[in-house]
């Protein structure tokens, strides 16, 4: 008797009529998993977000249909319900449907909702994890998310709920954990976010890094502090997407993997 590894088998063949939710990683196509590449090579229909770049889509086999469903500047995003309908219709038509999502599909990616839609329609689905920006952006900037003696925990948060507001989290309690905070979609909410963390007791001198377009060609980062980051980020006019890392780990390594935006750099202890 033995336990057969279902994932090892499935990695090689993508059955017709299934929906695979595939993580595209943070941008650099070399950060795709082998499993993601194999799935891209087999898919008949690829529905992708705005985040995965053209270099990632190069793995899609010739003849497959590629549909962009992400938010793009100047164009209304495709409503989530329409994406669900398209996934289900494709699978019912017997296609191998690949839903390509930036980073990891189950980290602030609405992958769970898409899996639920498949389940409700009786469609088999699978998720292929990807390298989340929550891991890749700190790595690109040389920031260990945890570090012995400095941070024993890391919390991934989003600064945007479904209405665009700061989510109803206990931000003050989060401040008191003493761990690292990695905030997604936080650039436009930095003012509120920092006020709540300061109210929770984090010092204004707490180091902060904003890592923009990590692993993309225009990658850049800003080193600042909790007290100064709102103003500094505004002045720096950083590109998006960007991840905000808050905590003493930001200052652990002097490493600078990418150019630091000049005038607004702050010394971190
Ligand atoms: N599922 C994705 C996250 C989607 S939410 C993942 O696991 O990475 C989109 C947010 O992710 C952006 O607003 C930004 O905060 C972050 N993000 C995605 N790609 C990024 C990148 N290359 N560099 C920095 N942040 C990124």
């Amino acid at each position: 008797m033995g336990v057969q590894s279902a994932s090892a088998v499935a990695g090689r063949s993508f059955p017709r009529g299934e929906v695979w939710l595939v993580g595209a990683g943070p941008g650099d196509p070399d950060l795709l998993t082998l499993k993601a590449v194999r799935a891209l090579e087999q898919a008949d229909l690829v529905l992708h977000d705005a985040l995965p770049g053209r270099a990632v889509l190069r793995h899609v086999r010739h003849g497959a249909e590629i549909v962009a469903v992400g938010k793009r500047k100047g164009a209304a995003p495709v409503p989530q319900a329409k994406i669900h309908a398209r996934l289900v219709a494709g699978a019912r038509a017997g296609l191998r449907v690949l839903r390509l999502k930036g980073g990891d599909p189950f980290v602030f990616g609405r992958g769970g909702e898409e899996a639920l839609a498949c389940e409700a329609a009786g469609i088999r689905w699978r998720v292929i994890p990807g390298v989340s920006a929550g891991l890749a952006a700190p790595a690109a900037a040389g920031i260990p998310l945890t570090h012995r003696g400095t941070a024993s925990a890391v919390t991934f948060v989003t600064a945007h709920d479904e209405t665009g507001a700061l989510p109803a989290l206990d931000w003050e309690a989060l401040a008191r954990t003493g761990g690292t905070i990695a905030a997604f979609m936080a650039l436009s909410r930095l003012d509120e976010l920092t006020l709540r963390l300061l109210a929770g007791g984090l010092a204004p001198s707490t180091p902060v890094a904003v890592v923009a377009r990590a692993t993309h060609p225009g990658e850049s980062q800003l080193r600042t502090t909790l007290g100064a980051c709102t103003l500094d980020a505004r002045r720096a006019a950083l590109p998006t997407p960007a991840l905000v890392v808050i905590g003493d780990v930001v200052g652990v390594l002097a490493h600078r993997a990418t150019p630091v935006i000049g005038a607004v750099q702050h010394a971190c202890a």
Side-chain angles (χ1 to χ4, degrees):
M1 228 175 80
V3 180
Q4 202 194 355
S5 164
S7 59
V9 175
R12 281 175 193 92
S13 79
F14 190 158
R16 297 186 164 280
E18 287 198 2
V19 171
W20 283 19
L21 308 169
V22 177
D28 178 351
D30 283 358
L31 288 172
L32 277 167
T33 64
L34 289 174
K35 210 163 195 145
V37 171
R38 285 182 189 134
L40 285 166
E41 288 167 352
Q42 295 174 70
D44 303 306
L45 170 63
V46 176
L47 301 175
H48 70 92
D49 284 346
L51 284 176
R54 236 174 280 149
V56 169
L57 292 170
R58 236 176 261 149
H59 292 284
V60 177
R61 76 172 170 79
H62 191 68
E65 189 183 356
I66 302 179
V67 183
V69 293
K71 281 183 213 143
R72 286 180 186 273
K73 269 193 195 126
V78 177
Q80 194 65 31
K82 273 217 164 134
I83 297 175
H84 295 172
R86 190 89 200 244
L87 294 173
V88 168
R92 285 199 173 135
L95 302 177
R96 302 172 185 92
V97 183
L98 191 151
R99 177 71 173 104
L100 187 66
K101 306 178 80 80
D104 181 272
F106 279 0
V107 177
F108 305 125
R110 308 192 73 169
E113 293 167 51
E114 293 172 9
L116 276 174
C118 291
E119 283 195 356
I123 303 291
R124 284 175 63 102
W125 63 273
R126 180 178 298 274
V127 61
I128 312 292
V131 178
S132 174
L135 301 177
I143 299 166
L145 282 173
T146 62
H147 191 70
R148 209 195 286 212
T150 304
S152 306
V154 55
T155 308
F156 294 110
V157 290
T158 174
H160 260 81
D161 70 7
E162 54 278 19
T163 67
L166 198 69
L169 281 179
D170 190 344
W171 295 96
E172 291 78 7
L174 186 56
R176 286 190 290 270
T177 64
T180 306
I181 299 167
F184 289 72
M185 295 174 267
L187 262 193
S188 61
R189 286 267 164 275
L190 267 184
D191 46 354
E192 264 178 279
L193 173 68
T194 54
L195 280 179
R196 297 286 300 271
L197 294 175
L198 290 166
L202 276 186
S205 60
T206 304
V208 171
V210 184
V211 188
R213 297 189 59 76
T215 83
H216 287 266
E219 178 181 295
S220 56
Q221 57 168 300
L222 163 71
R223 300 288 180 117
T224 174
T225 59
L226 195 60
C229 64
T230 303
L231 201 62
D232 282 351
R234 201 172 298 148
R235 273 202 224 127
L238 291 158
T240 55
L243 188 93
V244 179
V245 187
I246 302 163
D248 289 333
V249 290
V250 170
V252 163
L253 298 171
H255 175 89
R256 299 278 187 268
T258 49
V260 175
I261 291 174
V264 284
Q265 183 186 357
H266 287 253
C268 304

